[in-house]
Amino acid sequence: MSPKPKRLDSSPTKSPTAKKQKLKGPRDTTEVEGQSDQNMDAPMGPRKRSLLSELDAANAISQQDKNSPPQWFIEFEMRLDSRLEKLNSSISEKIKSLDFDIETLREDITYLKKENIALVDKLDDLENRSRRNNLVIFGVPEPTDGGKESCWKTVADFFKFAEAEEQDFLCLERCHRTPTYKPTNQQDKPRMIHVNFSSFVAKENIRRACLQKLKTEQYKGKKIFVGDDLSRRVQDMRKKKMDQFIKLKKENKKPFFVYPAKIKYRDQLTGRVTTVD
């Protein structure tokens, strides 16, 4: 038998040194790690420290640049703040000026209101003084036959009924019904009669005579009222106090009005005159 040929080994030959290196692998890695730790723990040189500082500063600046707005926006914001500050200052000055004007106007309005009240009171007083010689007669019947009425004759007949003095009656200057036309919705209600005298004394004498006569008798079966001719303002003032006036009258205190709209009454026992608030 021929000898078998030897089988060739295609794997690379392993040298003894390679085996030694493989066996020494783990030990060598530990040694390298130990050396790197020793290098990190070793103190850095001044140049390396300077480079690290510059790197840290550059990183900080780049981070700050990312968070901060651009330069053009900062400049725009500064200009806008400046303009707003000037505008705010201008508005504040205008507001102060307007406050002063408003205060001045408020004072003027207060003064004008007081002056207006004084003028209204004065005008109303002058109007009532111009009416002092007038009498107003309510309830005197008008002719029912449709004929034209002689107001002078109607007033003369009423004053004769009241037994007024002839010398006082001669002071009568003019008289007329008010309004001068008969309203269509007041056909059954007689119009009032305005009577003007040339003398205030004569007017007062006739007014008292009429009141005295009407306490006991009626004129032509009608209830007649005679009073002073007052302005609309005074009439409204007295109308507001009419409930109080009627209440005192029911209590037999005999109240009466004093110009312009004060209510007074006379005590029957003492004769003392009391003013009602």
Side-chain angles (χ1 to χ4, degrees), residues 13-14 19 36 41 55 70 91 98-100 153 158 162 171 187 189 192 201 212 217 230 239 245:
T13 58
K14 298 180 181 178
K19 291 180 179 181
S36 63
D41 294 337
L55 286 173
I91 292 174
L98 289 174
D99 288 340
F100 176 77
K153 184 177 184 304
F158 176 70
C171 293
Q187 294 296 326
K189 185 178 180 180
M192 68 183 75
V201 176
Q212 191 68 29
E217 296 182 33
L230 301 170
K239 190 179 295 184
F245 185 88

Side-chain angles (χ1 to χ4, degrees), residues 256-269:
F256 57 93
F257 279 107
V258 177
Y259 180 83
K262 290 182 179 180
I263 299 178
K264 293 185 177 183
Y265 65 90
R266 187 184 300 277
D267 190 277
Q268 298 298 316
L269 297 177

Side-chain angles (χ1 to χ4, degrees), residues 151-202:
C151 194
W152 187 279
K153 184 177 184 304
T154 301
V155 172
D157 292 342
F158 176 70
F159 286 163
K160 287 179 181 178
F161 162 79
E163 300 177 357
E165 296 290 337
E166 184 178 355
Q167 59 182 4
D168 296 328
F169 176 74
L170 293 176
C171 293
L172 191 151
E173 287 194 344
R174 58 184 180 274
C175 59
H176 61 83
R177 286 191 182 267
T178 305
T180 54
Y181 61 91
K182 181 105 173 153
T184 56
N185 58 346
Q186 296 181 0
Q187 294 296 326
D188 298 334
K189 185 178 180 180
R191 293 169 292 169
M192 68 183 75
I193 300 176
H194 279 84
V195 185
N196 174 257
F197 296 87
S198 59
S199 169
F200 175 76
V201 176

Side-chain angles (χ1 to χ4, degrees), residues 10-252:
S10 62
S11 60
T13 58
K14 298 180 181 178
S15 61
T17 57
K19 291 180 179 181
K20 291 180 180 179
Q21 289 178 358
K22 186 176 181 182
L23 293 172
K24 293 180 179 180
R27 187 173 59 84
D28 295 338
T29 304
T30 306
E31 291 176 358
V32 171
E33 290 179 356
Q35 290 177 2
S36 63
D37 293 339
Q38 291 176 1
N39 292 334
M40 291 183 65
D41 294 337
M44 292 184 295
R47 181 172 179 77
K48 191 174 181 180
R49 191 181 294 108
S50 176
L51 289 173
L52 289 175
S53 299
E54 291 177 2
L55 286 173
D56 293 339
N59 290 331
I61 292 173
S62 63
Q63 187 68 24
Q64 185 177 5
D65 291 340
K66 291 180 181 178
N67 297 331
S68 62
Q71 184 64 26
W72 67 267
F73 184 81
I74 296 174
E75 294 176 357
F76 171 76
E77 188 176 14
M78 292 175 64
R79 291 196 301 270
L80 183 62
D81 290 341
S82 177
R83 292 182 62 182
L84 288 176
E85 186 176 356
K86 291 180 180 179
L87 183 62
N88 187 27
S89 177
S90 176
I91 292 174
S92 298
E93 292 178 359
K94 290 182 179 180
I95 290 174
K96 290 180 181 179
S97 177
L98 289 174
D99 288 340
F100 176 77
D101 294 341
I102 291 173
E103 186 64 28
T104 304
L105 288 174
R106 187 179 289 110
E107 293 176 359
D108 293 342
I109 291 172
T110 303
Y111 172 76
L112 289 174
K113 283 183 177 180
K114 292 180 180 179
E115 189 176 34
N116 184 55
I117 293 173
L119 289 174
V120 169
D121 291 340
K122 186 175 182 179
L123 181 62
D124 188 69
D125 182 67
L126 290 173
E127 181 181 356
N128 284 288
R129 287 180 183 276
S130 68
R131 299 177 179 224
R132 291 177 75 244
N133 294 355
N134 296 349
L135 273 181
V136 184
I137 307 172
F138 299 89
V140 176
E142 296 188 45
T144 56
D145 55 0
K148 187 175 181 180
E149 178 190 26
S150 173
C151 194
W152 187 279
K153 184 177 184 304
T154 301
V155 172
D157 292 342
F158 176 70
F159 286 163
K160 287 179 181 178
F161 162 79
E163 300 177 357
E165 296 290 337
E166 184 178 355
Q167 59 182 4
D168 296 328
F169 176 74
L170 293 176
C171 293
L172 191 151
E173 287 194 344
R174 58 184 180 274
C175 59
H176 61 83
R177 286 191 182 267
T178 305
T180 54
Y181 61 91
K182 181 105 173 153
T184 56
N185 58 346
Q186 296 181 0
Q187 294 296 326
D188 298 334
K189 185 178 180 180
R191 293 169 292 169
M192 68 183 75
I193 300 176
H194 279 84
V195 185
N196 174 257
F197 296 87
S198 59
S199 169
F200 175 76
V201 176
K203 170 248 179 179
E204 281 295 300
N205 289 338
I206 290 180
R207 184 182 70 84
R208 293 191 188 97
C210 292
L211 293 177
Q212 191 68 29
K213 186 70 175 179
L214 292 171
K215 285 180 180 179
T216 57
E217 296 182 33
Q218 290 185 343
Y219 180 67
K220 295 183 179 181
K222 302 292 183 180
K223 191 173 183 179
I224 310 299
F225 174 76
V226 179
D228 294 321
D229 186 18
L230 301 170
S231 66
R232 174 61 61 183
R233 182 167 175 261
V234 174
Q235 290 181 38
D236 292 340
M237 292 168 63
R238 292 190 177 187
K239 190 179 295 184
K240 292 178 180 178
K241 296 185 177 182
M242 191 55 65
D243 293 339
Q244 192 175 14
F245 185 88
I246 295 174
K247 181 180 178 181
L248 292 172
K249 195 171 183 179
K250 289 180 179 179
E251 296 175 358
N252 295 324

